[in-house]
Amino acid sequence: MWSTLGWLIAWLTVIIGWVVVSDQQNHRELRKDRSTRLTDLRAEIAGVEQDAIAFHTADTCDREKALALIRRLSHLTREIALLRRCEYLNDDCGEARVLFRQACTGENFDLNDATFVKQHTESPVVGSIMAARDGLEELVIDSLTHTLTVNKSVWASVGTGYDYVRSRTVPLWRRLVGPPAYRGEESEEDT
Amino acid sequence: MSGEKVVDVARDFSRFPAGRFKEDGPFSGQAFRDEVLLPRLRQNQEALTIELDGALGYGSSFLEEAFGGLVRLCGFKAADLLQRLNLRSVDDSLVREIRSYITRAV
């Protein structure tokens, strides 16, 4: 009996150790990916800001550049929505996205030469683009900082391992010995 | 441009909506409001779904003129409009922005 118990403990230790190492490795990979995506996002925000300022400070209204800016902005805001859904971003940046789009394409953006006014670098239009970029980027930096500084503890990985083992063994056990005599409400494993 | 209850901007108007007024181009916010939104909204009192995805993107000037203009110039009440318009996009900030134009339009 003792030898069986020893054998069981040894195998459990091996399995839990494997799950912890594997989970920690997954966490590192995920962190690397998050960090890369958020760094790329910061670069894209800076790029859109540059395009917007270039459009507003040009001598004439360039429709092609305006359409390219709209396209790039759309891509950026959708990317942010996607990253939020994947929980790469801590904040949905909803208000900041709206403010950035408004700053870039709200004023002096009728796409008409007759109404276009060349902006200087200290104009309110350019100033609001810069401010909106800062506001949006700050939220991305918050998420990036969180990604780079928060580690997953070994105990959290043990918890993940426990959940994993439980999710695999409980249904198997139920299949072998049959369902419990009474089930008041459907449990998670059943759904 | 038939009387259906769903407006797909890319299909029913243009994949390249841009500009505020009709003088700014054929696919401006004013053109979208007058040629697409208004006829459908006046046709009946039912809800209207607007599918925003599929277009190249939207400038705020286009959105403000198209949706804010419904309240500012066409006599719609903001509360009614918010109830009737079902805005759909994977970019939730677009929906938020349009709703803000409707709410704040004067």
Side-chain angles (χ1 to χ4, degrees), chain A residues 63 71 77 101 105 110 112, chain B residues 24 56 60-61 91-92 97:
Chain A
R63 197 178 175 86
R71 182 77 193 125
T77 53
R101 184 167 43 237
T105 64
D110 294 351
N112 190 332
Chain B
D24 304 333
L56 157 110
S60 292
S61 57
D91 181 1
D92 53 328
E97 185 172 351

Side-chain angles (χ1 to χ4, degrees), chain A residues 53-62 65 108 112-120:
Chain A
I53 292 174
F55 171 81
H56 287 286
T57 54
D59 292 330
T60 55
C61 174
D62 188 331
K65 279 188 180 163
N108 199 37
N112 190 332
D113 256 336
T115 54
F116 180 81
V117 178
K118 174 184 162 66
Q119 304 292 311
H120 55 87

Side-chain angles (χ1 to χ4, degrees), chain A residues 18 26 32 39 128 143 155 165 168:
Chain A
W18 171 75
N26 277 346
K32 212 186 294 176
T39 304
S128 67
S143 296
W155 283 113
V165 171
R168 291 289 187 275

